[in-house]
Amino acid sequence: MKQDWKPGTLIYPLPAVLVSCGSTPDEYNLITVAWTGTLCTNPPMCYISLRPERHSYDIIKRNMEFVINLTTEQMAYPTDWCGVRSGRDHHKFQEMNLTPGKARTVKAPLVEESPLNIECRVKEILSLGSHDMFVADVLNIKADERYLDAQTGKWALEASHPLVYLHGGYYKLGEPIGKFGWSVEKKKQ
């Protein structure tokens, strides 16, 4: 038997990412975001959704760019901490011993400890209610070569032990059960 609940946002798990912003070191900030995702493949577009009262909101709105930094199990503590502490009161890069790196196409810093950095330029801001959605073009991606399989040439994000967010908690991923299209592959005889 299933219960009816009031409408809500229970689409989980989601990536737990650190979004970096700011155009100068004195403005650099990090915010933890789970409301993020892919919007389009061609052209590559993504989004983040933020509450307007968050410190990073004004920084991103002013500069119209940010970097989505994927996180790992090893980054769980700073990922959580950066989500509950305000950049108004803390220098998050410094206090969490994270390294601001130079992005190729945007002034916002990237997080060097992240296995993948997605450089974004805001295309549109949609006011939706509690959150505003920053729709962005993906301008560049920086991928850590440690996760490049030398034999296959495939980049293996799973080897970085990605961190996901599930209804108030952080989790690591489990064992793979298949790959895209495995359900319709012809069996080798």
Side-chain angles (χ1 to χ4, degrees):
M1 179 176 242
K2 293 190 176 186
Q3 298 178 1
D4 287 318
W5 291 356
K6 68 178 182 175
T9 53
L10 295 175
I11 301 170
Y12 292 108
L14 297 164
V17 303
L18 284 172
V19 173
S20 49
C21 58
S23 61
T24 59
D26 61 310
E27 182 183 53
Y28 287 174
N29 195 42
L30 293 165
I31 184 172
T32 303
V33 173
W35 303 162
T36 185
T38 301
L39 288 173
C40 187
T41 302
N42 189 13
M45 295 174 66
C46 61
Y47 76 92
I48 60 171
S49 289
L50 300 176
R51 292 190 320 266
E53 59 269 17
R54 297 299 298 259
H55 179 63
S56 293
Y57 180 97
D58 289 330
I59 297 170
I60 294 170
K61 190 171 183 180
R62 182 173 51 256
N63 292 301
M64 297 298 279
E65 58 185 35
F66 57 88
V67 178
I68 296 174
N69 304 277
L70 299 188
T71 61
T72 64
E73 292 174 30
Q74 189 175 18
M75 296 173 69
Y77 184 88
T79 299
D80 181 63
W81 192 91
C82 288
V84 296
R85 299 288 186 220
S86 175
R88 288 181 187 94
D89 306 316
H90 297 276
H91 188 282
K92 295 180 183 183
F93 274 104
Q94 187 177 20
E95 292 183 55
M96 286 295 101
N97 295 313
L98 294 172
T99 311
K102 182 160 178 45
R104 191 179 121 221
T105 61
V106 297
K107 291 180 182 174
L110 54 83
V111 176
E112 289 288 357
E113 291 77 8
S114 170
L116 190 79
N117 317 99
I118 304 168
E119 300 175 30
C120 302
R121 179 154 300 126
V122 177
K123 181 178 184 134
E124 181 178 3
I125 302 170
L126 301 172
S127 293
L128 301 173
S130 63
H131 289 67
D132 287 357
M133 178 187 284
F134 289 79
V135 175
D137 290 316
V138 174
L139 303 179
N140 188 53
I141 295 177
K142 288 201 177 275
D144 191 327
E145 292 177 352
R146 289 181 293 172
Y147 305 110
L148 185 63
D149 185 315
Q151 293 177 334
T152 65
K154 179 184 173 214
W155 194 74
L157 178 61
E158 67 278 5
S160 75
H161 304 284
L163 186 65
V164 297
Y165 181 77
L166 181 76
H167 197 45
Y170 299 99
Y171 292 85
K172 57 185 175 179
L173 298 179
E175 295 296 317
I177 58 172
K179 64 179 176 82
F180 180 75
W182 67 273
S183 64
V184 296
E185 282 181 346
K186 292 187 179 180
K187 305 293 180 213
K188 294 180 183 175
Q189 297 182 0

